[in-house]
Amino acid sequence: MAESVVADSLCRDCLSVIEAAPKCPKCKSPRILTHPELFTLSIAHLDCDAFFASVEKRDDPSLKAKPLIVGGTGGRGVVSTCCYLARMRGVHSAMPMYRAKKLCPEAVVIKPSMAKYKKAGGQIREMMQAVTPLVEPLSIDEAFMDLSGTARVHHAAPAVTLAKLALAIERQVGITVSIGLAPNKFLAKLSSDMQKPRGFTVIGKAEMLEVLAALPVGDMWGVGKAMEKKLSRDGITQVSQLQTMDEKILAKRYGELGLRLYRLSRGIDHRKVSPRSITKSISAERTLDKDLWNEEKLIERLWPLCEEVSQGLKKQSFAARTITLKLKNQNHKNITRSRSLDNPTQLADVLFEVGEKLLKPMADGTYYRLIGIGASNLTDPIDADPPDLIEPERTRRAKTEHIMDGLRDRFGKQAIQKGRGIKNKKPQ
Ligand code: TTP
Ligand code: MG
């Protein structure tokens, strides 16, 4: 009997749908994508490769073959990103620049030009939105896309449309991207990172458990350094271990995060791709009824603003990496002070703690007529507010805040107020 052959492969260069082969029979390209679920999956994650560095190389071809670092060049500057040549020498994002230069002395170092990156990011987003309205940007260079139902419009399976999009971005924007295609957001994001740069990785239902089992727990979305250490102390270092653990035990030990680990380790993620334009910041500010200089009084005004911003973050499903305090003096001059966080937050408590620290040196006798707090550098809340092992009190406060949010949802905003909120209601 003749063996039946299945066209389960795609040439990423000429976009022909073919039978599995080492090279495309039509254009001879070796960039063949083969997977049994290739033409049925529709949730994707797209992430630009070495984004800032790629834009710089595009704009100055003499940099193409050189290791390139983009970042702050001052004494305390850090690496924003670097090209893959510099990565081979051990340089990576968030590394102090002096260390990066030691690791790769011949690297060219360039200061970031945000306007250029925003333009390129915007162009790419528009191209994604032309493919499907269901685009959920996560940051300037990455987004989820849901391509379910697009086959009819594009006369091609999502995988083909995505490969075509990657080529179009290379041609029109001049940089490369990596794509992950999977049954859900968690797996799509995981897969887009697996074969960078210029990658296209598929994780299907059939092999997802096996793929996940091979990962260290630190690769799980939402497991930061502190959580990784905690799990390791408890003897859990591999996702394969989580896969054998009982849901109730994980929930009891690690709360909400434990439940998430249970689900994600099994490849379960029901979150929808929710289209939204990229919100840059969420803030709240008040013009004071009377100009204030007193530190304590200014701090009292800060708390309700932090609660407001925190509610906004939670409602819109964002977490902030940067917190900015804003003050306006009697000459109507705006003064802002910002701080970046190690872990993004959604919590009023954290906003307040940072806001208070930023405010203290500003309370130098100057009269202020307005106070505000802003949250920016917004990311997915999945990484937000990991349990604080150094300050367990902070974890306890975070838990209280979540419980109060739940009560507020059930009984209304005024039904429950946190200590600081109540204090602010007292006549002064
Ligand atoms: P990433 O997508 O995390 O990194 P990348 O695009 O440079 O590299 P990769 O190929 O691994 O995706 O971030 C996108 C851009 O955001 C990056 O080019 C620079 C900026 N960025 C910072 O400024 N600081 C940081 O710590 C990180 C991680 C990124
Ligand atoms: Mg990237």
Side-chain angles (χ1 to χ4, degrees):
M1 199 170 75
E3 216 174 279
S4 69
V5 277
V6 193
D8 61 355
S9 303
L10 169 68
C11 171
R12 291 173 58 200
D13 283 310
C14 72
L15 304 175
S16 304
V17 173
I18 55 173
E19 290 157 16
K23 278 189 177 177
C24 175
K26 296 189 182 152
C27 76
K28 307 288 173 235
S29 162
R31 297 203 316 146
I32 306 299
L33 200 53
T34 301
H35 193 281
E37 294 170 51
L38 184 60
F39 298 120
T40 53
L41 298 168
S42 57
I43 306 294
H45 179 258
L46 182 149
D47 188 302
C48 303
D49 301 325
F51 184 49
F52 293 4
S54 304
V55 173
E56 296 299 344
K57 286 198 179 199
R58 172 196 73 181
D59 293 349
D60 180 355
S62 76
L63 296 172
K64 197 163 189 285
K66 293 182 185 158
L68 174 66
I69 302 175
V70 181
T73 49
R76 289 170 57 179
V78 292
V79 174
S80 299
T81 193
C82 60
C83 71
Y84 278 76
L85 288 172
R87 286 183 204 198
M88 277 153 46
R89 305 287 292 274
V91 182
H92 58 75
S93 292
M95 173 182 271
M97 190 59 84
Y98 73 88
R99 261 195 71 202
K101 282 186 182 162
K102 257 191 211 158
L103 286 169
C104 191
E106 72 277 27
V108 178
V109 180
I110 295 185
K111 274 195 219 158
S113 309
M114 286 313 293
K116 275 205 300 201
Y117 313 145
K118 276 186 192 156
K119 189 171 170 214
Q123 256 177 297
I124 293 170
R125 189 149 321 118
E126 275 175 25
M127 292 172 78
M128 289 192 270
Q129 281 159 343
V131 165
T132 170
L134 297 180
V135 175
E136 180 181 338
L138 290 178
S139 73
I140 187 169
D141 88 323
E142 61 176 314
F144 287 115
M145 302 169 75
D146 182 345
L147 289 101
S148 321
T150 61
R152 251 179 300 140
V153 186
H154 299 301
H155 308 290
V160 182
T161 304
L162 287 163
K164 195 172 169 186
L165 173 67
L167 290 176
I169 292 172
E170 285 182 15
R171 218 173 32 243
Q172 290 172 39
V173 187
I175 65 161
T176 63
V177 301
S178 291
I179 289 172
L181 179 63
N184 59 46
K185 283 166 81 170
F186 167 58
L187 293 169
K189 181 154 164 85
L190 203 63
S191 55
S192 74
D193 208 33
M194 285 180 164
Q195 297 180 66
K196 269 179 164 284
R198 227 182 164 217
F200 194 138
T201 311
V202 182
I203 300 182
K205 281 201 175 128
E207 78 278 14
M208 66 184 185
L209 290 180
E210 205 181 317
V211 172
L212 289 167
L215 300 176
V217 283
D219 281 7
M220 298 282 279
W221 208 3
V223 176
K225 283 272 167 282
M227 189 62 200
E228 193 179 350
K229 274 194 196 137
K230 185 177 169 63
L231 288 166
S232 161
R233 269 202 301 274
D234 296 345
I236 306 168
T237 54
Q238 296 298 120
V239 176
S240 56
Q241 292 171 277
L242 292 170
Q243 288 178 340
T244 63
M245 289 178 76
D246 189 72
E247 184 173 16
K248 286 205 185 91
I249 290 174
L250 280 169
K252 199 167 159 206
R253 274 205 210 160
Y254 310 112
E256 192 55 44
L257 183 63
L259 283 173
R260 196 201 295 157
L261 290 177
Y262 175 86
R263 287 193 298 268
L264 296 184
S265 65
R266 286 154 178 83
I268 302 166
D269 178 13
H270 296 302
R271 289 170 305 154
K272 293 226 170 333
V273 174
S274 44
R276 55 186 181 196
S277 59
I278 193 151
T279 305
K280 295 208 175 65
S281 65
I282 294 176
S283 58
E285 59 183 46
R286 289 282 178 287
T287 302
L288 304 163
D289 14 312
K290 185 170 91 182
D291 294 359
L292 291 177
W293 62 271
N294 180 293
E295 178 182 314
E296 216 171 290
K297 287 214 160 56
L298 285 164
I299 286 174
E300 276 176 13
R301 303 303 168 101
L302 195 59
W303 173 251
L305 300 174
C306 293
E307 280 207 302
E308 205 174 299
V309 171
S310 163
Q311 297 288 321
L313 288 168
K314 289 166 188 161
K315 222 189 210 153
Q316 295 180 55
S317 218
F318 282 123
R321 282 194 183 278
T322 304
I323 296 173
T324 302
L325 174 80
K326 178 177 168 186
L327 291 161
K328 192 184 270 187
N329 68 16
Q330 287 184 309
N331 299 328
H332 291 261
K333 184 171 181 254
N334 284 329
I335 304 145
T336 56
R337 294 287 180 272
S338 296
R339 180 164 298 178
S340 290
L341 308 173
D342 291 336
N343 299 300
T345 191
Q346 290 192 302
L347 298 176
D349 211 68
V350 176
L351 293 166
F352 182 75
E353 197 182 305
V354 175
E356 191 180 17
K357 276 193 192 129
L358 293 169
L359 177 66
K360 281 193 169 163
M362 307 304 293
D364 56 0
T366 309
Y367 276 90
Y368 295 109
R369 60 192 318 276
L370 173 145
I371 183 167
I373 190 102
S376 60
N377 211 341
L378 304 178
T379 65
D380 192 289
I382 200 156
D383 292 326
D385 304 300
D388 196 319
L389 306 167
I390 299 146
E391 278 187 67
E393 169 62 14
R394 193 179 278 177
T395 307
R396 196 192 58 73
R397 291 205 306 265
K399 260 192 196 153
T400 313
E401 193 170 321
H402 283 305
I403 292 168
M404 288 191 160
D405 287 337
L407 291 172
R408 248 191 230 113
D409 284 348
R410 282 172 60 196
F411 302 115
K413 202 171 166 196
Q414 296 309 319
I416 183 128
Q417 283 194 317
K418 223 183 154 190
R420 287 188 194 107
I422 294 162
K423 191 171 150 217
N424 286 334
K425 291 273 180 272
K426 279 187 188 166
Q428 286 156 17

